[in-house]
Amino acid sequence: MSAENRQAGGVTSLLAMAAAISFLLGYFICIIAGLWWPTNSSIILLLCIMGLLVGCFNITGREIMPYLVAAIALVLIGTQQPFTPLDDAWDGLGRRLNDIVHLMALFTAPAALIQAVRAGVSLAAPGD
């Protein structure tokens, strides 16, 4: 293997590792930010960038459809605010859960967009 191939493989594996870390760290940030800073624009931008990393480098071809189904569910839940009734049980609990899920949807949407484009391209390609 030439030095150029090793270097290219190293960059790719480094990006894949960064995407895997972004995946876990992204959900952790969603939880923390959802509790204390749900409307912070810098955090929202960071989550979108991390979601792009995940979408580009962390999802394999056979994971596209399950990821898209999960992303659709998460985005729908994140936009509906279903936990609001929990505010009656514990003041602010429903609002906090809605904020966390909303940030998770914001984190997941860029990766879902990339996967949807990948799925569309693979469907449009001539073949079987």
Side-chain angles (χ1 to χ4, degrees):
M1 180 185 290
S2 71
E4 289 176 6
N5 287 342
R6 277 194 304 266
Q7 186 177 11
V11 169
T12 303
S13 64
L14 182 63
L15 287 173
M17 182 184 293
I21 291 169
S22 287
F23 187 79
L24 296 174
L25 188 61
Y27 283 115
F28 179 74
I29 291 171
C30 289
I31 292 168
I32 299 302
L35 292 174
W36 287 284
W37 313 286
T39 59
N40 185 305
S41 59
S42 297
I43 291 174
I44 291 170
L45 178 63
L46 174 68
L47 288 172
C48 288
I49 291 169
M50 292 170 69
L52 287 171
L53 274 173
V54 168
C56 287
F57 300 107
N58 204 36
I59 300 167
T60 64
R62 64 187 167 112
E63 295 171 336
I64 290 175
M65 284 307 179
Y67 186 82
L68 286 175
V69 170
I72 290 168
L74 189 56
V75 169
L76 283 174
I77 292 169
T79 59
Q80 299 301 313
Q81 299 191 357
F83 301 110
T84 303
L86 291 175
D87 282 340
D88 295 336
W90 184 350
D91 188 37
L93 177 63
R95 189 174 55 251
R96 299 285 187 228
L97 287 174
N98 286 331
D99 289 341
I100 291 169
V101 175
H102 180 72
L103 288 176
M104 287 179 174
L106 288 173
F107 172 62
T108 304
L113 174 66
I114 290 172
Q115 296 313 310
V117 170
R118 280 180 64 192
V121 168
S122 70
L123 289 172
D128 306 329

